[in-house]
Amino acid sequence: MVGSEGLCRGAGRRARQRKSPGECEPWSLAESIDLYDAIEWAAAQPWCSGKVGLSGISYFAINQWFVANHQPPSLAAIIPWEGFADLYRDALFHGGLLSLFMPNWYMAHLMHHVVGRASRHHPNRWQTNTLHFWLHNNLDSGAFRGAQAQWDKITVPMFSVGNWSGMGLHLRGNTEAFMRAATPHKKLRIHAGTHVHPFYSEDGRRDQLRFFDYWLKGIDNGVMKEPPVKLAIRKGRDEVEWRFEHEWPLARTQWTKFYFDLSPPAPDAPANAGRLVTANPHACSSRTYPASSLGSMGSTSAASSQVMAGAIPPGMGIALESPPLAQDVEVTGPLAAVLWVASSTEDMDLFLTIRNIDGDGNEGQQGTPVPVAKGWLRVSHRELDPERSLPYRPYHRHQRRLYLNPGEIVRVEVEIWPTSMVFKKGHRIRLDVQPRDGVGSSAYMHYHADYNSGTNTIYAGGEKDSYLLLPIIPGA
């Protein structure tokens, strides 16, 4: 097995690696070619059978997609464990919005190699201006093609592993891989928990070894005869139940629309309250809210509200809730939302957060403010790719900006990253629609630029049927 991160030119961290030469260009075409060479070198060694497998978390997973684009002849199997597959859509720009995680990650590594101890041996390892390259290419122009999985070229046996908590970086890549990769030999596992521990758990280790024993050693252990999908179904407060499935999304999914009801809230309800209902309201209603506000520093800020100006002010946007559920409801699969929107300015940012609210009004997933799922869209990026879009997973082109005229009403589809959650009887399904990062954004905050200002308006009901599309699994 070959680890991919250690091949990054000039990025050695340990003492014995500090003198490694070369310019570091993370997730570049050059880096994937380096990994190709390493695979073929290993395969030619006398201690190798000629079959090479790749496994690892995060960086070690991501480059597996990109080297698989090249189809190295000795690459026999891959296990990309929590690794994004599209640098543009999965990591840098969520729905066209810059994720601050990536610049922050880059700066942390840049500082170590430019002003830290490592710089004594090779001060120019990160001289290539990767950060400028990332930020400058804020449309999917083709500049990132070397860091995007070409699914029709990925034919190697694949065990794709995701984490429900990985919304904002890795999860989308793992589910897209299972849906779209050309290989007929593929498995999908999605667990819960931290980014690191499941990889080293006894269960995780066993799953990896069985897959590699079959594809690298030819041991007929039955792993490819088992159902290809293994899911940790979340039931709240860290409780999960493992379940095997035969496909993704699940064939028995009941795709269910929860329509927005934006009629005036009840007298005792918050001013931004709305409802999720099972039938589209006959009359059209709307709700207008400010897109920005004065921050803790006394002025509006283009940067993330929680990074530069404190937490998002209470009541920003709208909060839609279902009635208390009459029975347990399982939601497992990809999600989407359709909204009719307008802005007083040229653009509009949409931050969607699905939450599990218990009977006491508290977050019901893990007992802490951890959201169920998230989705994002900058409205000027609303153009869809009709060949790749699905009703439950819109696919945006991100190749041009369709700016708004003030007050212009447009229909948008928002991709919400996949999830699994059993909403218990008496709980409410809540959808926050906000102009800034909401609860549970953690490290994955976004830079809002100066497009999203003035006021935003959401329309619902009548011909403006705004709704949340949920993958409900019967028999929860």
Side-chain angles (χ1 to χ4, degrees):
M1 291 180 285
V2 176
S4 59
E5 188 171 24
L7 294 169
C8 184
R9 295 171 184 253
R13 295 190 181 92
R14 298 178 180 89
R16 69 178 184 274
Q17 297 174 323
R18 287 183 188 138
K19 295 180 182 180
S20 60
E23 294 290 332
C24 189
E25 297 182 61
W27 305 302
S28 62
L29 178 61
E31 191 173 74
S32 65
I33 293 173
D34 285 348
L35 182 52
Y36 181 110
D37 291 343
I39 291 167
E40 294 309 308
W41 173 87
Q45 301 309 302
W47 40 258
C48 183
S49 69
K51 293 182 178 180
V52 176
L54 300 177
S55 180
I57 314 170
S58 197
Y59 205 121
F60 295 94
I62 299 159
N63 273 337
Q64 293 180 48
W65 303 124
F66 307 150
V67 74
N69 289 341
H70 306 310
Q71 300 181 346
S74 301
L75 183 58
I78 61 174
I79 305 179
W81 190 289
E82 296 190 40
F84 69 71
D86 183 331
L87 179 60
Y88 184 90
R89 287 170 177 78
D90 298 350
L92 277 174
F93 295 95
H94 296 149
L97 287 152
L98 174 66
S99 172
L100 292 175
F101 173 86
M102 294 299 290
N104 290 342
W105 178 92
Y106 180 86
M107 288 299 296
H109 289 269
L110 178 71
M111 287 186 287
H112 174 61
H113 290 284
V114 175
V115 300
R117 184 176 295 170
S119 65
R120 298 175 186 175
H121 301 285
H122 193 326
N124 298 318
R125 282 183 176 128
W126 288 54
Q127 190 172 8
T128 302
N129 200 337
T130 298
L131 188 57
H132 178 269
F133 175 71
W134 286 353
L135 301 185
H136 178 72
N137 289 287
N138 45 55
L139 291 174
D140 188 18
S141 63
F144 296 121
R145 185 168 175 81
Q148 293 173 310
Q150 310 302 316
W151 298 119
D152 60 325
K153 296 180 180 178
I154 296 182
T155 57
V156 64
M158 172 191 81
F159 184 18
S160 180
V161 182
N163 188 331
W164 298 125
S165 302
M167 50 193 164
L169 192 61
H170 294 311
L171 175 60
R172 183 182 184 277
N174 292 112
T175 55
E176 286 289 293
F178 188 80
M179 289 195 296
R180 300 175 61 194
T183 177
H185 309 297
K186 51 189 173 182
K187 296 178 74 72
L188 174 67
R189 164 190 161 126
I190 309 181
H191 51 252
T194 74
H195 180 43
V196 174
H197 291 93
F199 182 86
Y200 298 101
S201 68
E202 183 59 32
D203 176 67
R205 180 175 178 273
R206 181 174 58 252
D207 282 353
Q208 294 174 71
L209 288 176
R210 293 184 71 231
F211 188 76
F212 275 152
D213 280 347
Y214 183 88
W215 290 106
L216 301 184
K217 297 182 177 180
I219 299 174
D220 188 5
N221 53 19
V223 67
M224 299 307 293
K225 297 177 183 177
E226 298 167 355
V229 178
K230 180 180 179 180
L231 304 176
I233 307 302
R234 295 187 294 179
K235 298 191 172 183
R237 300 191 179 276
D238 297 323
E239 179 187 355
V240 301
E241 177 183 324
W242 285 102
R243 192 172 71 205
F244 285 98
E245 297 287 350
H246 291 277
E247 68 284 307
W248 177 270
L250 309 189
R252 65 185 184 281
T253 301
Q254 296 177 350
W255 300 101
T256 304
K257 295 178 180 179
F258 282 77
Y259 293 92
F260 295 11
D261 182 350
L262 296 178
S263 55
D268 58 342
N272 71 332
R275 296 190 298 157
L276 293 174
V277 296
T278 55
N280 185 36
H282 294 295
C284 179
S285 301
S286 65
R287 201 71 61 84
T288 298
Y289 54 86
S292 57
S293 64
L294 290 178
S296 59
M297 296 182 295
S299 63
T300 58
S301 172
S304 169
S305 56
Q306 291 187 0
V307 172
M308 293 295 294
I312 184 171
M316 281 197 84
I318 58 175
L320 302 116
E321 287 192 356
S322 71
L325 298 172
Q327 59 188 15
D328 290 358
V329 174
E330 180 186 331
V331 173
T332 297
L335 306 89
V338 170
L339 298 90
W340 291 85
V341 302
S343 173
S344 64
T345 57
E346 65 180 358
D347 215 338
M348 177 176 178
D349 291 345
L350 292 167
F351 292 80
L352 273 56
T353 306
I354 296 179
R355 302 168 65 182
N356 182 1
I357 307 300
D358 67 18
D360 297 323
N362 301 314
E363 209 85 24
Q365 181 186 334
Q366 292 174 264
T368 56
V370 177
V372 175
K374 280 186 172 289
W376 312 264
L377 182 66
R378 176 156 285 163
V379 172
S380 61
H381 286 245
R382 65 188 177 277
E383 185 176 23
L384 296 173
D385 183 332
E387 293 184 0
R388 293 185 175 92
S389 289
L390 298 166
Y392 50 79
R393 201 272 282 119
Y395 193 95
H396 296 92
R397 290 187 185 275
H398 298 298
Q399 293 178 353
R400 61 173 177 165
R401 296 179 179 86
L402 302 176
Y403 288 117
L404 297 169
N405 295 315
E408 176 187 8
I409 303 174
V410 297
R411 182 182 185 272
V412 299
E413 297 185 34
V414 182
E415 177 184 7
I416 301 174
W417 284 25
T419 194
S420 178
M421 173 56 61
V422 176
F423 293 84
K424 297 290 189 178
K425 177 181 178 180
H427 285 211
R428 298 173 184 263
I429 300 172
R430 173 165 165 164
L431 172 65
D432 291 343
V433 181
Q434 297 169 304
R436 292 286 188 268
D437 284 295
V439 65
S441 296
S442 187
Y444 305 110
M445 309 298 292
H446 295 80
Y447 176 76
H448 308 294
D450 53 359
Y451 305 108
N452 191 28
S453 57
T455 59
N456 295 340
T457 303
I458 309 291
Y459 296 85
E463 295 180 353
K464 304 293 189 296
D465 53 337
S466 295
Y467 59 85
L468 171 65
L469 182 66
L470 293 182
I472 292 180
I473 309 303

